[in-house]
Amino acid sequence: MFTELAEGGDNAIAVTLGVLGDEWNLWILRHAVAGCRRYGDWIAQGSISNSVLSKRLTQLTELGLLDKVRYSDRPVRFEYPLTPRGLGVWPALLSMWVWEQAWSPESSDILPSMRHGTCGATFTPVLVCRACGEPCTRRDVSADLGPSGDWTRSVPASIGRRRSTSTRQPSQVLPHTMELLGNRWSAAMIGALFLGARRFGELAERTSAPPAMVADRLHRLEALGVVETSPNPARPNWVTYGLTAKGEAFFPVVALMIDWGQQWFRAPEGPAIRFRHVVCRKDFHPVLHCNVCSQPLRGREVLIEPPASGP
């Protein structure tokens, strides 16, 4: 059952960013997909403190991604299995891992490899239109804001704070992903660029960000290699902004996150954004297929293999 959001409040995109734009939530969900269910399972993975784990498990349970099930009476203890809503996050997590492997080689952690249980091959997921089964890139999909898609409703304040260098963070498995999703203005800029904004003024207007913040975030996104500038033919002293190949390649992450969010968190006014596949002209809902056997990937058929140990 989906959660109905408050009229005029945060939309599905804001809720999704609030959940998946938090490094510890991603860390917990990543290990939950790999089989963690009990408090000690996560503690054994290292990095996380008791207070942070307790807070995040409570949040993820309240949002319906984890269930809380008593498994011991003396002492009273609980385990936290993934719900169908939580299990539905795995395609987005998988696309994050693949994007990091391709575009963030400096990651300090070795990412797990994935094997498709159906064909037995180590695979790379392919983004596919659910309606027609054809592979898609960002340029094959059009996007329009829906009834609840106002920018002020799409980015949660909870991911607006800068990271503190003195605060313990999860191991940096997804460093560039968190640069894009873990800051509210970076996430807003990426969304506006995917929707076609190109000029500085357009980005400021669409995101409602102060000009100084727009400049700061664009500078950071350029430094990450996600955004590039080109001369503005209409104004020689101005530039336009666009996504690089690295930025374009982030589209599966964005599409899968939004599709998941709008499935499980619904505003009464309607969706925040509507995707359409320009080839089949139907609503676009992303799914992942195996690049080896071309069959749909399903959570139970994706086998997570621990990274090989160093010498």
Side-chain angles (χ1 to χ4, degrees):
M1 176 65 69
F2 66 86
T3 297
E4 183 165 344
L5 303 174
E7 186 173 355
D10 282 356
N11 62 24
I13 295 175
V15 175
T16 301
L17 285 172
V19 177
L20 302 185
D22 180 275
E23 289 173 288
W24 284 120
N25 282 344
L26 285 181
W27 186 88
I28 289 168
L29 291 169
R30 168 203 175 198
H31 289 295
V33 170
C36 287
R37 294 169 63 97
R38 297 182 178 179
Y39 198 92
D41 295 339
W42 282 287
I43 292 294
Q45 301 300 322
S47 300
I48 196 166
S49 68
N50 287 290
S51 60
V52 171
L53 178 58
S54 294
K55 181 178 179 180
R56 295 307 195 280
L57 289 176
T58 297
Q59 179 190 38
L60 292 170
T61 300
E62 290 174 348
L63 288 168
L65 281 78
L66 298 176
D67 203 358
K68 185 177 181 179
V69 179
R70 182 182 297 201
Y71 71 90
S72 173
D73 291 323
R74 295 185 180 180
V76 175
R77 291 179 178 173
F78 298 90
E79 62 182 9
Y80 298 85
L82 287 163
T83 64
R85 183 178 301 190
L87 284 168
V89 171
W90 74 263
L93 286 174
L94 178 56
S95 65
M96 291 175 190
W97 290 336
V98 171
W99 186 77
E100 290 281 345
Q101 286 176 320
W103 298 102
S104 181
E106 70 274 21
S107 174
S108 61
D109 288 297
I110 302 173
L111 295 172
S113 61
M114 304 286 175
R115 187 173 299 278
H116 189 198
T118 299
C119 67
T122 300
F123 67 91
T124 299
V126 177
L127 191 72
V128 169
C129 171
R130 188 177 70 189
C132 68
E134 289 297 315
C136 298
T137 67
R138 200 271 291 190
R139 299 185 182 278
D140 300 317
V141 179
S142 64
D144 296 293
L145 293 180
S148 64
D150 185 90
W151 286 103
T152 60
R153 301 177 59 183
S154 298
V155 184
S158 60
I159 64 169
R161 303 180 183 90
R162 293 182 181 274
R163 297 182 188 176
S164 169
T165 55
S166 63
T167 302
R168 185 197 292 188
Q169 300 292 341
S171 56
Q172 291 295 292
V173 175
L174 303 169
H176 284 200
T177 297
M178 289 314 306
E179 287 275 4
L180 302 187
L181 301 181
N183 179 283
R184 64 181 306 209
W185 298 120
S186 291
M189 294 298 158
I190 292 297
L193 288 162
F194 272 125
L195 286 171
R198 292 292 178 266
R199 297 191 300 274
F200 188 97
E202 286 180 316
L203 291 164
E205 180 181 359
R206 292 197 185 189
T207 62
S208 301
M213 183 58 69
V214 176
D216 175 77
R217 289 296 89 195
L218 287 174
H219 177 74
R220 181 58 187 151
L221 294 174
E222 283 188 79
L224 288 170
V226 173
V227 170
E228 61 186 356
T229 60
S230 57
N232 186 334
R235 300 289 294 269
N237 295 329
W238 291 13
V239 297
T240 59
Y241 298 88
L243 294 165
T244 63
K246 179 178 180 177
E248 295 275 356
F250 198 66
F251 176 71
V253 177
V254 173
L256 287 161
M257 284 178 56
I258 292 175
D259 193 70
W260 174 82
Q262 294 194 145
Q263 176 185 356
W264 294 104
F265 301 96
R266 301 182 186 179
E269 304 93 331
I273 194 167
R274 292 190 176 99
F275 290 120
R276 184 171 291 275
H277 187 201
V278 297
V279 175
C280 70
R281 300 182 180 180
K282 295 182 179 179
D283 289 345
F284 174 71
H285 295 281
V287 294
L288 296 178
H289 282 198
C290 173
N291 70 316
V292 178
C293 67
S294 300
Q295 294 301 305
L297 295 172
R298 297 181 175 86
R300 294 180 180 178
E301 299 167 354
V302 176
L303 310 177
I304 302 174
E305 299 185 340
S309 302

